[in-house]
Amino acid sequence: MGAVATIHGQGSEERAWENCDWLWQQPETPLAELVAGAGRIVVVAPHPDDEVLACGGLLCAAAAIGVPVQVVAVTDGEACYPGEAWWTPQRLRQARREELRDALGELAIDAASIVHLGIADGGVSNHETGLEDWLWQTLREDDLVLAPWRFDGHPDHEAAGRAAWRAARSAGCQRLEYPVWGWHWLDPGCAHMAWESPRLLDISAVAARKREAIAQFRTQTGDVPRLQAEPILPAHVLTRFYRTHEVYFA
């Protein structure tokens, strides 16, 4: 995740999401069906960690059956701790690239699969058209594009989601959206009004590997020295991504 200007507080509790019967009673979609016909998976991540938090299980399982994965890191998430004396944007930029490499390694995805675009954290909206054009030129018809939910509540996420959605449509690709901050601000009791026909993927078989991958984002969990600010990924946020199911929208 990156800098957040509009999302505050602890958000919806995980227990409330656990009790969202409408969501968890949706039929599961097998991995083979989600990736059917895909020659490659392209996951568009506004910040390093979004791809693992939301899609780590799918990426790990798909890589295990030989589906190539490309990770598009739109920003380096360098603006996550403004004002920190040690964890400056320059230091964070390098650290977060290394964390992404290590996290994907836990999922058996090679670092060569990562493309860093280097757009400024917090500034994706200003480069939305350029991102769309780059994706359109990069995508192939047999790609499955995973991108942020276009209403995720974070400006970088929404801009990246819109750009990816339009590019995938123009390129004739399959596409799925994933929520990250949606879990935070959305009232679970209203999920049925916001999320039409969610697709649930059982990741039980790879959930432990996903958790190890998440742990590599140490700057975000606070497992680093000299960090004075509250971590971006405290325990109450992490628990949303330790589930045995991931949720996608077509």
Side-chain angles (χ1 to χ4, degrees):
M1 299 187 190
V4 179
T6 59
I7 302 172
H8 303 286
Q10 294 206 345
S12 297
E13 294 184 358
E14 178 61 10
R15 179 164 300 193
W17 279 112
E18 290 173 355
N19 293 329
C20 182
D21 293 339
W22 170 84
L23 178 60
W24 307 119
Q25 288 174 2
Q26 298 295 312
E28 294 180 357
T29 302
L31 176 70
E33 183 176 332
L34 278 182
V35 304
R40 179 178 65 167
I41 294 174
V42 178
V43 56
V44 179
H47 315 101
D49 73 357
D50 290 321
E51 68 297 301
V52 173
L53 292 170
C55 312
L58 187 156
L59 298 178
C60 183
I65 61 173
V67 181
V69 173
Q70 181 173 85
V71 175
V72 179
V74 179
T75 81
D76 292 319
E78 72 277 4
C80 58
Y81 295 123
E84 283 287 303
W86 173 260
W87 289 105
T88 61
Q90 182 177 5
R91 186 169 278 121
L92 281 163
R93 186 177 292 111
Q94 182 60 35
R96 297 199 69 178
R97 288 191 176 204
E98 293 171 358
E99 289 172 347
L100 177 57
R101 176 202 63 203
D102 293 344
L104 293 178
E106 294 287 345
L107 305 179
I109 298 172
D110 192 85
S113 300
I114 307 170
V115 177
H116 294 282
L117 297 186
I119 293 175
D121 186 9
V124 180
S125 297
N126 296 330
H127 298 274
E128 186 174 331
T129 300
L131 175 60
E132 178 186 349
D133 289 344
W134 184 89
L135 287 168
W136 177 76
Q137 294 177 54
T138 302
L139 294 174
R140 308 188 302 234
E141 285 188 3
D142 65 346
D143 285 337
L144 169 61
V145 179
L146 308 179
W149 181 36
R150 286 165 289 161
F151 306 99
D152 205 38
H154 185 300
D156 280 353
H157 288 223
E158 295 188 357
R162 290 190 300 265
W165 191 88
R166 292 192 300 265
R169 181 180 59 183
S170 297
C173 303
Q174 302 178 67
R175 57 188 182 271
L176 293 171
E177 295 180 292
Y178 60 80
V180 177
W181 281 113
W183 298 114
H184 182 91
W185 63 261
L186 183 61
D187 179 350
C190 299
H192 64 287
M193 294 186 284
W195 294 344
E196 184 177 355
S197 302
R199 301 190 180 189
L200 273 60
L201 175 67
D202 184 353
I203 63 164
S204 300
V206 294
R209 293 182 65 179
K210 176 178 177 177
R211 189 161 181 158
E212 287 299 315
I214 291 173
Q216 303 308 308
F217 295 105
R218 294 182 175 87
T219 61
Q220 305 304 285
T221 63
D223 188 23
V224 289
R226 304 186 187 184
L227 179 64
Q228 303 301 311
E230 289 296 314
I232 297 294
L233 296 176
H236 73 271
V237 171
L238 286 172
T239 190
R240 300 168 187 156
F241 304 102
Y242 288 163
R243 302 169 182 153
T244 56
H245 287 81
E246 291 175 346
V247 178
Y248 298 92
F249 316 129

